[in-house]
Amino acid sequence: MSAATTSDATSGGVRPAPTLPPEDRAGLLAGTHHDPHSCLGARAVPGGVLVRVLRPYARAVTVCATGLRAELRSEGDGFFTGVLPQPTVPAYELLVRYGPRPGQDELRTGDPYRFLPALGAYDLHLISEGRHEELWQALGARPMTHAGVTGTRFTVWAPNAQGVRLAGDFNHWDGTAYPLRSLGSSGIWELFVPGLAAGTSYKFEIVGRDGARMLRADPMARRTECPPATASVVDEPGHVWRDAEWLARRAERGWHEAPLSVYEVHLASWRPGLGYRELAEQLPAYVRDLGFTHVELMPAAEHPFGGSWGYQVTGFYAPTARLGSPDDFKELVDALHRAGIGVLMDWVPAHFPKDDWALARFDGSPLYEHGDPVRAEHPDWGTLEFDHGRREVRNFLVANALYWCEEFHIDGLRVDAVAAMLYLDYSREDGQWCPNEHGGRENLAAVSFLQEMNATLYRRCPGVVTIAEESTAWNGVTRATHHVEEGFGGLGFGFKWNMGWMHDSLVYMSKEPVHRKYHHHEMTFSMVYAYSENYVLPISHDEVVHGKQALVSKMPGDWWQRRANHRAYLGFMWAHPGKQLLFMGQEFAQGAEWSEQQGPDWWLLDPGYSAEPDHRGVRDLVRELNAVYVRTPALWQRDSDPAGFRWIEGDAADDNVFAFLRFDARGEPLVAVTNFSPAVREGYRLGVPREVPAWTEELNTDASVYGGSGVANPGPLVTEDVPAHGHPVSLAPTLPPLATLWLRPERKPEPERRPYA
């Protein structure tokens, strides 16, 4: 376009615009206008196109389009208007000048207010119904191309707000020029901002019903600033997945009848200083070497306080930025999958912290939390409980479970604090809670939410598993949601942490052997209820912090006896019905409690340390436990079937001995016998099935290579026609001190196969 043409259009073509009604002007300036697009932007009017722009602090605003360059007239308070001599609304941009003279401090940008909503009616319908299973595709910050223009769509649920504006590093955290529009009764506010790309930091500036102004992080943010900074960050996924083979195998597998041995990891402290990509280079190799089938990551979602270990979440849709970007986290999951290792993640749908920039009273009123302050406040943790009875909150959480499994390929969720969700009187005294509509203490809304979450996740994500951290005797935690007993359907979890087994067995192990006979039932009681649910046996982070001592330090006796108890206990645990979980550092008998500030004491494995062989021996045992476990179906194939277990000796309290049989689906047995006494027991009679004529040691936790005394049964143990324990034949092995033996049927050599003549 020639200079003359530009000059003509600028000087003579713009007419004054009608005055903006005072109520609209006031609402826009106060950030309380529900429909800024009705006032701002461009629209056809008689005789031309009306353009109105709100740009505080600007000295001039010029409309630029093909064949057009027209400077708008200032109306004060940052408003610039004019009627352009155009027959239709052009595809235009704004040249905003902040400097005193033309060309100084100018910014060329698109106008957010020339676009129709970038969120469809079907999305709004699903959100209003609380059934948008891909909520992360509809809400939050989403880079996209809209009406042929690239930019980012911002959407947020704030139904009680008078107004919402967008503030970020792109507008110096002043949201005046970027008010969002309300999309009707849905409670959703929306704005498409052309030109904004990934990496932009932002928050929502919300005006509550009482006029209070709040700057809130995006509840649906996929990425955040690194704490202690609290802004949300626009993210555009770019990771290319390479784990298709793993996902295909996962979809065909039922974990109840498969080996599941879990290494629990706090990522930030496993190797302090490593980010996701460095962890991707080291963690898979370490876990694979030790033979664990899965890792369980303590909450990877964003949280403001590192000392919460991730259990007080503020960014439910964002991996913590402490260790890298969302794509970096995907690389870690991808690397674990390519190493043949599944990834479980702790998930916290019970409660959230009260930080005033996050979810608490998000739009100035109770929104994600219950409206009753007594119901909202968690009495133990200083947090707020989710209102699981509100459909939009349920949608937020159900979609969040799907998000981690679908977008990050997570293989399972360990759901934290389920008991706190299930009971209205959890940690509350009389007068601090109200019964449900039936007069009971069950939180019916939370029950319904957990059922919906599990049913939806299992329907959409083949091969994914959910695990409940539930510490009470709630009936049906792992029962199907449609299977009704005692008035309730099952919660639908795949597994439940066996907190009772963990507590009882650790009480037993903490006693001196001479006193253990008085606590013998602590080790056998778990089999009374072992098949009431599908269980995981957890020795988790909770058991090795805050004065509870590390696992080896819970054991009585001198250093040798503590390690022997530690090894014997792990052998007993791996043979017990149920899946296994062990927290990092316990695999090499770290003596100190875990600290999130320094992580495991890896120096214990330094060859220059005098006691290094002691710790390495325990780790070698864990490796062998996992190796034998994975190749022995009797130890996992019938974990949920009572026919897969039979006591040989469960009453030998005076001897501190436990012996039992495990069977695989074909009936192939394995004998597990543990001597929790420091005495060697020679010729200890054990009844065994007649069908197996000889047995051999498959594993011995007292082997010298693990740091034990080396007492063993070197040759095959041949059965004798001596009845014992209800069997017509028996064995008489030597039981090493403070040790577990696994005995397998002696395998006959395969007959020589001769070629056909």
Side-chain angles (χ1 to χ4, degrees), residues 415 418 421-422 445-455 491 493:
V415 182
V418 171
M421 300 167 65
L422 291 176
V447 171
S448 178
F449 157 69
L450 290 170
Q451 291 173 328
E452 179 184 347
M453 180 275 297
N454 279 312
L491 297 183
F493 284 94

Side-chain angles (χ1 to χ4, degrees), residues 178-189:
Y178 291 86
L180 280 68
R181 65 177 142 210
S182 171
L183 298 180
S185 61
S186 66
I188 305 300
W189 300 75

Side-chain angles (χ1 to χ4, degrees), residues 214-235:
M214 302 152 283
L215 201 58
R216 303 295 201 195
D218 184 355
M220 301 291 298
R222 296 189 181 201
R223 186 175 180 180
T224 69
E225 290 184 318
C226 185
T230 59
S232 304
V233 179
V234 177
D235 184 62

Side-chain angles (χ1 to χ4, degrees), residues 464-517:
V464 162
V465 65
T466 58
I467 305 169
E469 188 230 0
E470 202 284 313
S471 56
T472 74
W474 183 279
N475 181 19
V477 173
T478 60
R479 193 172 67 238
T481 56
H482 64 274
H483 186 174
V484 178
E485 291 184 12
E486 300 179 5
F488 290 97
L491 297 183
F493 284 94
F495 293 96
K496 170 182 172 174
W497 271 20
N498 195 334
M499 310 292 281
W501 172 87
M502 177 275 298
H503 175 269
D504 293 348
S505 64
L506 292 181
V507 166
Y508 177 89
M509 294 305 300
S510 69
K511 307 299 180 183
E512 292 284 349
V514 69
H515 300 303
R516 284 175 173 168
K517 64 182 179 181

Side-chain angles (χ1 to χ4, degrees), residues 136 202 217-227 229-235 276 298-304 310 312-327 329-330 345-347 357 396 399-401 403-404 407-408:
W136 66 93
Y202 70 98
D218 184 355
M220 301 291 298
R222 296 189 181 201
R223 186 175 180 180
T224 69
E225 290 184 318
C226 185
T230 59
S232 304
V233 179
V234 177
D235 184 62
Y276 293 128
M298 292 169 67
E302 192 59 89
H303 51 283
Q312 295 196 8
V313 178
T314 48
F316 280 82
Y317 284 78
T320 179
R322 292 170 175 85
L323 306 180
S325 70
D327 277 350
F329 181 63
K330 290 177 181 178
M345 191 183 90
D346 282 16
W347 184 56
W357 48 269
F396 174 81
N400 187 240
Y403 173 73
W404 289 108
E407 293 290 316
F408 290 90

